[in-house]
Amino acid sequence: MIISQNKPFEEVLAFLENSEKIIIVGCSECATVCKVGGETEVQEMKEMLEEEGKKVLGTTILSPACNLLNSRKDMKQFKEELKETDAILSLACGDGTQTVAKVAKPEVYPGSDTMFIGEIERIGQFEEACKACGECELGWTAAICPITKCAKGLVNGPCGGAKDKKCEVSNDNDCAWLLIYDKLKDLGKLENMMSMREPKNFEKGNAPRRINLRNQEKETANA
Amino acid sequence: MSLLKDVLERGEFGVTAEMAPPKGTDLSHLLECARAIKGRVHGVNVTDFQSAVLRVTSLVTCKLLKDEGLEPILQVTGRDRNRIAIQGELLGASVFGIENALGLTGDHTVVGDHPQAKPVFDLDSVGILQAATTLMSGKDMVGIELQGTPTFYLGACVTPRFDPMEAQILKMEKKIKAGAKFFQTQAIYDLDTMREFIEKTKHLDTKILAGIIPLKSAGMAKFMNNNVPGVFVPDELIERMKNTPKEERVEEGIKMAGELIRQLREEGLCDGVHIMAIGAEENVPRILDAAGL
Ligand code: SF4
Ligand code: SF4
């Protein structure tokens, strides 16, 4: 899931300094789970902005905001308001916010910071799990990501920095490589760790990346 | 040919010392220390933004030390440069006639003085050694032929008391496969650590230089025990420091380091020593005197 958190309200207010009339949008998926852009947060934001003397012309929860066709359709409900409004405030993630900006004319501002791709450990508790590096390494690392969970993204085993099995970067983090080591040992696969890894190919992570399944299918058909 | 390589491969007891470039452009203290240890060591490691703290670069300092007649060992970490810059740095070193290089992953930027910096870590220690080995074959990492090929005596570091030890030895084996011919260890203070380490690595064909950091106080020893991964200062040494009058503690630390080196050598527990005097390199000759070297 995409993990996000709210921006400080002062920052949001500064974006909207010259905007009187505002539409607020949220997102039904990740941003709702993160308690950043769900029904409750959109309503709270509405109240806070109204207290600051802004006029909120409308609110909605896009489902989900990052679906271009869906957001285009959903935003049509504000046909009249969109002519009038000065700005749209999005509480979706950075992806959803950009989608909204594509389908709406008025200025769109983010009300949240997008943090990482992560796992929901329990309600309100998230941990980064994947850097979307473009070539998954989990197949040889006992499914613990060295690119994400090791602070240095190392591919050849632990650096010398771990103390009491915690990472040199923070005592709150287990050394990913020692977790990988323990797990591989349990699985009887320690030889995975002994294999020499070539330096990782970061070319696969160059932004912006695109995938077009239809073209891919055509290519396979032609091959 | 690299003096360090020559000495170690002849089976002589190798001595290296570590020097950190200054933060700023005044290298007079560094050069003073260099002159003091010239002729006493077989190599001088120049740290590469040690502890992720901004300083003069390792390469420039290596060149100055070489001009002074010392044998530099270029340290290269993966923290601040990608694979293009690292290969370029190695080629540059070779142009300057620097023949020793040490590949290190490097401390993370967040522990240094510019925690806001973007950490690179494109290559880790193994990757840097692989890159250097590839350059030595006359090609760069993507297989393009070089105009002129560098030669390096490659080294790496190892922590003899890492927990779990097996994970560290496994990585040490990889560093050897990647081209490391010698290892400098994290500081050690007791013979048992080294005995155990040698036992566990006796299947490996490599040279090991035991790391020596002279103690300056009991507080420093305690700090290292609590904060430096893999370092263990035995209680008796801490006591000995405590029982020494304040103004004699530096001298006592030098004596203790000398004793340790002597014992390591007598028992054949290492192929040499790597002395890290941390800003007090002028003391290195006295440590060597105390060790009878
Ligand atoms: S290696 Fe890690 S970051 Fe890359 S795709 Fe797999 S889980 Fe994600
Ligand atoms: S201590 Fe472990 S997790 Fe932290 S940077 Fe080193 S190898 Fe990675």
Side-chain angles (χ1 to χ4, degrees), chain A residues 151-152 154-163 165 168-169 178 181 193-200 202, chain B residues 83 105-108 110-111 121-124 126 130 141 162-164 166 170-171 174 177-178 225-226 228-229:
Chain A
K152 299 176 187 170
L154 305 180
V155 293
N156 270 306
C159 73
K163 183 140 177 92
K165 301 201 176 177
E168 76 176 41
V169 164
L178 295 181
Y181 172 80
M193 222 169 133
M194 286 181 223
S195 79
M196 299 287 290
R197 303 296 304 185
E198 288 302 316
K200 188 170 172 68
F202 288 103
Chain B
R83 63 193 76 183
T105 295
D107 297 322
H108 199 280
V110 303
V111 305
F121 298 112
D122 187 19
L123 302 182
D124 56 15
V126 174
Q130 284 171 315
M141 285 174 78
F162 194 76
D163 171 36
E166 293 68 31
L170 216 139
K171 184 139 187 199
K174 283 190 177 188
K177 273 193 208 153
N225 271 345
N226 292 333
V228 186

Side-chain angles (χ1 to χ4, degrees), chain A residues 41-59:
Chain A
E41 297 77 33
V42 166
Q43 278 316 309
E44 274 169 15
M45 180 57 79
K46 176 173 185 272
E47 282 159 30
M48 277 153 72
L49 287 179
E50 282 171 347
E51 256 171 54
E52 295 293 328
K54 309 279 181 197
K55 207 164 160 200
V56 176
L57 302 185
T59 65

